[in-house]
Amino acid sequence: MALRHFLRDMTLLVQDEADPARQQGAAMELLRRLVGQGGWLAPDFSAAGPAFRQVLLYNDPLDRFSLVAFIWGSEARQTPVHDHGIWGVVGVLEGEEISTEMIPDPGGGPMRPGRQDRLQAGEVMLLGAPAYDIHKTANGQPGAPAITIHLYGGNIGSAERRVYDEATSAATVIRSGYDNPVLPNPWSLPVAIFA
Ligand SMILES: [Fe+2]
């Protein structure tokens, strides 16, 4: 129910509010409520393997928002430095995530770390203005499973964005895609009513 209600509320939000900054502010409160609840992400989508997985939970049919779970496995330490290009909100469902702002050197030197945010379960943060858009993220408790929920103002897996070489600040354009071939069913019921 929590996921279905979240998707309903997000759909109404992007339908009623066109301004990206106001969408992001309201979306943060919806995501805060979602990650404050447990039990809504089925084991098929939340089980941690050794590697890092980007699991698409939902993409708006008009690409106005997407919801992605990052499943941090026992061998997943941190992401490469990357940007997003669209607004984002990050929330922690289980475990802990560290986001470190990274600032490119226009002269081709090493990137410089900026602000760092450490999020515990139930906490949320903004990506992009008024915070920062280029960062790397890490499991706050390396080796322990963690689940972080990422909400974006577009289809983040198909958007053209950049990964950065930390040593040279060089950017490469990528599309990050998603790791799962099927999506969760937000409309599933806990009991088989026709059994
Ligand atoms: Fe990110």
Side-chain angles (χ1 to χ4, degrees), residues 70 82-84 127 135 137 150 152 161:
F70 284 14
H82 60 274
D83 70 4
H84 310 85
L127 287 175
H135 74 160
T137 59
H150 299 237
Y152 301 99
R161 51 201 185 113

Side-chain angles (χ1 to χ4, degrees), residues 6 9-14 16-34 87-89 124 126 151:
F6 173 85
D9 293 345
M10 270 304 300
T11 302
L12 289 171
L13 170 61
V14 295
D16 294 343
E17 178 57 73
D19 177 70
R22 285 205 287 266
Q23 281 181 356
Q24 185 183 31
M28 181 169 72
E29 296 313 315
L30 296 179
L31 188 67
R32 191 195 308 277
R33 194 189 313 161
L34 184 66
W87 67 252
V89 187
V124 295
L126 300 178
L151 174 63

